[in-house]
Amino acid sequence: MSVDETTARQRTVLQSPAPQQQRTASRRAGWVRRAPLMPALVFVVVMTQLPFLATIVISFMDWQALRPNERGFAGLGNYAQVFTDAGLRSSVITTIVLTVVVVAVSLVLGLLIALLLDRKFFGRGAVRTLMIAPFLVVPVAAALLWKHAILNPSYGLINGTLTWVWGLFGARPPQIAWLTEFPLLSIELALIWQWTPFMMLILLAGLQSRPADAFEAAKMDGASPLQAFRYITLPHLRRYIELGATLGAIYIVQNFDAVFTMTSGALGTANLPYTIYQTFFVRQDYGLAAAQGVIVVIGTIIVATFALRSVSSLLKEDS
Amino acid sequence: MAAHVPSPSASRAAVDASEPRPAQQTYRKHSPLSRPNPLWGVAAWAVGLVFAIPVLWMLLTSFHSEVDAATNPPSLLAPLTLDGYKSFFGNANAFPSLINSATASVVSTLLVLALAIPAAYALSIRPVKKWSDVLFFLLSTRFLPIVAALLPLYLFAVRTGSLDQIGLLIALYTTMNLPIAIWMMRSFLAEVPVEMLEAAQLDGAGLIRTLRSVVAPVAMPGIAATALICFIFSWQELLLARTLTGVVAGTAPVFLTSFVTSQGLFLAQVCAAAVVVSLPVLAAGFAAQDKLVQGLSLGAVK
């Protein structure tokens, strides 16, 4: 920042024609400088802040699409309903469990795989290409794939493989109805499969930017590979881990595709985005849906405050 | 980030030169922790295959007949057929949905670039005051769950008659990707050395000239990466598309949701549809793996 600003200031001074005109000139220079930013900023403010303001207003209203004549001011009624609604409480817990499990498991798996791929071996590029495929498959397509082709109880890949393996020993295979017996686990499995490559990519970038000389020094001091990992690699990776966790959490909290596609929110898998979608489209209770939305935003702000802090440390070192 | 650390190759060369110990030479050629042990390669290949199996299975099943697709145990060697793809493209809604997705993704990506490049310029090369506050505000808009703004957007669309029109989706995808694009682009533009800008100015180069001959060469790969990420996110989006479009402007992910409840009989067709819809993103992602990393880390970590 300091470098940029100093030179920017020097540039302004150079450009100012005479001392008496300096104030108007610098004001004009300020606007010239701001001008390229304005279209984007105005666009974002209009498109994000106005709808959210509208959501806040609607959240204080009685507004059910099915009963248009009863529209009116509801005070805190919708909020009271949100907090007393057992369904919503359970969807809060589902959202937290889903996010924490998926982020934690895919981070750990991603780290282990990144450590593997950081080594030199035959076909490293090919393995990396195989690894990132899950992240690139369109999320709805991935959810359909898991639901119909992999977890289906009668002909899915997992149960089919079980049949084949047990068949080798002439035994009757266990056939598990994954989506009804373990609904949340099934969704977590599909999401971990999609997000591990993402974590792996970010952590691999981190590993490959490791300063090599620290390792030379550690090795000469007789550090074991485990010690080198603990005291050199891990501290270096910290910001990459924080970044992966932050971005992963933001996207997984908002997950709609997998829940909608795999279980349609049944059997305790409804997370907050899916619940709001239901309140809005099926129950058509606009006031309640808006209040739920506002609560989600408040929750996200709390999470994002921590997240922004970690990104903020990135920004500082960047400058 | 690694500015205070000597470059790895330089330090390695120095070590090699100072101590000629042949036993350790091969060891040092590789990255610090890697002993060339073939077992690690085998392990890596195994893990890569495990992650790729669902995708490969999707591909294989898409070329099976419906009868061969729905067998238990699975039939790896069943004859291949294009029936799944034929019935996918035989569906009247399939091709239009791909066109809608392409339109929404490409046009919104172009709009994002048109808005983000000047903004990133104002935040990095000639930074406005409090540029980091602006940057944080932009990123914070991305943290807000889309679902919280869905209702007013829907009501707005109903009132203005823009429901089920691709234009609304384009505007929303532009909003969704713009903050990320500005972040990425800012960090790419920040790599333009200040000395080069000063030199260009001393040589009397104007703004346009400076942008073209100093900024553009450094920024082009970053712009390409940003465009790629915006394209991928738009192509994959479901919630907004499902809420705000329908028959006419439905995108490919919306079309895929018609398979959500399909039971049994359509497995090959489901897989064929999943393959076709994922193909553009898979191709783009495979082609630009390295750029993807920089982009996904918001360009903040290099």
Side-chain angles (χ1 to χ4, degrees):
Chain A
M1 173 165 164
S2 56
V3 181
D4 276 5
E5 268 199 352
T6 321
T7 49
R9 219 171 288 136
Q10 284 169 353
R11 254 174 254 153
T12 319
V13 172
L14 277 174
Q15 280 162 359
S16 310
Q20 64 266 35
Q21 292 173 0
Q22 205 157 342
R23 202 183 299 160
T24 34
S26 78
R27 193 174 301 159
R28 199 187 311 141
W31 278 108
V32 166
R33 194 163 291 185
R34 247 167 280 169
L37 179 64
M38 279 307 159
L41 205 55
V42 170
F43 187 79
V44 168
V45 169
V46 169
M47 295 292 286
T48 64
Q49 310 301 299
L50 288 187
F52 183 56
L53 277 178
T55 303
I56 295 178
V57 172
I58 298 171
S59 75
F60 291 106
M61 288 170 70
D62 255 331
W63 187 353
Q64 305 208 7
L66 302 175
R67 276 175 276 166
N69 297 328
E70 293 170 29
R71 202 157 81 189
F73 184 66
L76 291 170
N78 290 318
Y79 288 92
Q81 207 179 330
V82 168
F83 284 111
T84 51
D85 188 334
L88 194 85
R89 268 202 306 262
S90 91
S91 75
V92 170
I93 293 169
T94 303
T95 308
I96 294 170
V97 170
L98 192 68
T99 309
V100 170
V101 169
V102 173
V103 170
V105 176
S106 51
L107 255 181
V108 172
L109 277 179
L111 177 60
L112 294 176
I113 297 169
L115 287 170
L116 262 183
L117 288 191
D118 188 42
R119 294 163 182 277
K120 287 222 166 75
F121 59 87
F122 174 74
R124 191 162 79 158
V127 171
R128 194 176 71 163
T129 305
L130 287 177
M131 268 306 299
I132 63 171
F135 186 70
L136 295 171
V137 171
V138 171
V140 200
L144 282 172
L145 170 73
W146 280 84
K147 179 181 186 176
H148 290 303
I150 296 176
L151 297 174
N152 183 292
S154 44
Y155 48 77
L157 183 62
I158 292 184
N159 280 0
T161 308
L162 290 178
T163 306
W164 178 69
V165 173
W166 260 253
L168 294 179
F169 304 99
R172 267 171 61 90
Q175 297 285 285
I176 302 151
W178 295 96
L179 280 166
T180 45
E181 280 181 51
F182 308 103
L184 197 57
L185 184 70
S186 299
I187 293 175
E188 285 164 359
L189 204 62
L191 286 176
I192 288 166
W193 174 77
Q194 276 223 294
W195 283 91
T196 299
F198 170 81
M199 303 297 185
M200 186 278 288
L201 276 177
I202 287 183
L203 295 173
L204 188 59
L207 284 175
Q208 293 180 344
S209 71
R210 260 181 322 193
D213 59 344
F215 278 87
E216 300 292 348
K219 209 151 283 152
M220 277 173 204
D221 293 345
S224 72
L226 210 63
Q227 283 172 320
F229 176 78
R230 169 74 183 78
Y231 295 105
I232 297 171
T233 306
L234 217 50
H236 172 75
L237 280 185
R238 205 186 118 181
R239 52 208 300 243
Y240 293 84
I241 292 172
E242 284 173 357
L243 187 75
T246 303
L247 292 176
I250 290 167
Y251 282 97
I252 293 159
V253 162
Q254 299 195 37
N255 182 279
F256 172 76
D257 306 28
V259 173
F260 173 81
T261 307
M262 290 178 69
T263 60
S264 302
L267 305 168
T269 58
N271 62 351
L272 282 166
Y274 186 81
T275 306
I276 295 173
Y277 175 84
Q278 281 291 101
T279 314
F280 167 29
F281 266 108
V282 181
R283 286 171 68 178
Q284 304 227 342
D285 190 336
Y286 292 173
L288 186 62
Q292 291 173 344
V294 172
I295 301 226
V296 174
V297 169
I298 292 170
T300 314
I301 287 172
I302 295 171
V303 176
T305 311
F306 292 102
L308 274 175
R309 200 167 296 158
S310 77
V311 180
S312 136
S313 76
L314 296 175
L315 195 71
K316 256 175 230 142
E317 286 183 50
D318 188 28
S319 309
Chain B
M1 177 182 50
H4 56 289
V5 178
S7 84
S9 55
S11 67
R12 229 175 275 150
V15 171
D16 285 351
S18 61
E19 343 156 42
R21 281 186 295 174
Q24 297 207 348
Q25 288 291 26
T26 45
Y27 177 26
R28 284 222 178 87
K29 269 182 202 156
H30 300 282
S31 91
L33 268 181
S34 75
R35 278 159 243 248
N37 182 342
L39 273 180
W40 291 118
V42 174
W45 269 98
V47 172
L49 281 173
V50 165
F51 270 83
I53 277 175
V55 179
L56 299 174
W57 186 244
M58 170 173 83
L59 199 62
L60 183 67
T61 308
S62 74
F63 286 108
H64 278 167
S65 70
E66 294 295 355
V67 178
D68 291 330
T71 55
N72 184 352
S75 54
L76 283 171
L77 302 172
L80 303 181
T81 161
L82 286 173
D83 286 355
Y85 292 91
K86 276 183 197 148
S87 51
F88 172 77
F89 282 107
N91 189 313
N93 292 325
F95 198 67
S97 78
L98 290 171
I99 298 289
N100 284 336
S101 271
T103 311
S105 308
V106 172
V107 176
S108 73
T109 300
L110 293 176
L111 277 174
V112 165
L113 293 183
L115 290 169
I117 293 173
Y121 173 82
L123 292 174
S124 62
I125 290 188
R126 299 192 64 191
V128 298
K129 281 180 191 160
K130 307 208 169 177
W131 60 272
S132 63
D133 291 349
V134 177
L135 216 48
F136 274 136
F137 164 74
L138 288 171
L139 192 67
S140 72
T141 65
R142 195 63 193 81
F143 284 178
L144 293 179
I146 290 172
V147 76
L150 209 53
L151 178 60
L153 291 174
Y154 175 80
L155 295 173
F156 171 83
V158 172
R159 295 280 153 91
T160 57
S162 51
L163 202 63
D164 203 9
Q165 289 194 0
I166 204 75
L168 181 65
L169 218 49
I170 290 173
L172 291 173
Y173 288 174
T174 306
T175 315
M176 173 178 90
N177 287 325
L178 190 53
I180 293 175
I182 293 174
W183 261 79
M184 286 176 60
M185 216 90 89
R186 189 206 72 89
S187 65
F188 288 123
L189 289 183
E191 285 190 352
V192 178
V194 177
E195 299 77 29
M196 278 173 74
L197 292 172
E198 281 169 351
Q201 193 164 30
L202 285 178
D203 291 347
L207 177 64
I208 302 294
R209 181 82 202 279
T210 310
L211 285 180
R212 208 176 47 208
S213 53
V214 179
V215 179
V218 183
M220 273 330 266
I223 292 175
T226 310
L228 183 73
I229 299 277
C230 294
F231 173 81
I232 290 178
F233 281 149
S234 305
W235 187 277
Q236 293 185 337
E237 204 280 333
L238 173 68
L239 183 59
L240 286 170
R242 186 171 165 81
T243 314
L244 302 171
T245 70
V247 194
V248 184
T251 58
V254 176
F255 175 74
L256 281 183
T257 60
S258 63
F259 293 104
V260 166
T261 53
S262 75
Q263 290 297 323
L265 289 170
F266 302 111
L267 191 58
Q269 204 185 325
V270 170
C271 286
V275 169
V276 173
V277 173
S278 298
L279 213 52
V281 174
L282 277 168
F286 285 157
Q289 298 181 23
D290 296 320
K291 294 289 158 206
L292 209 60
V293 182
Q294 285 187 349
L296 290 172
S297 44
L298 295 178
V301 178
K302 297 238 171 57

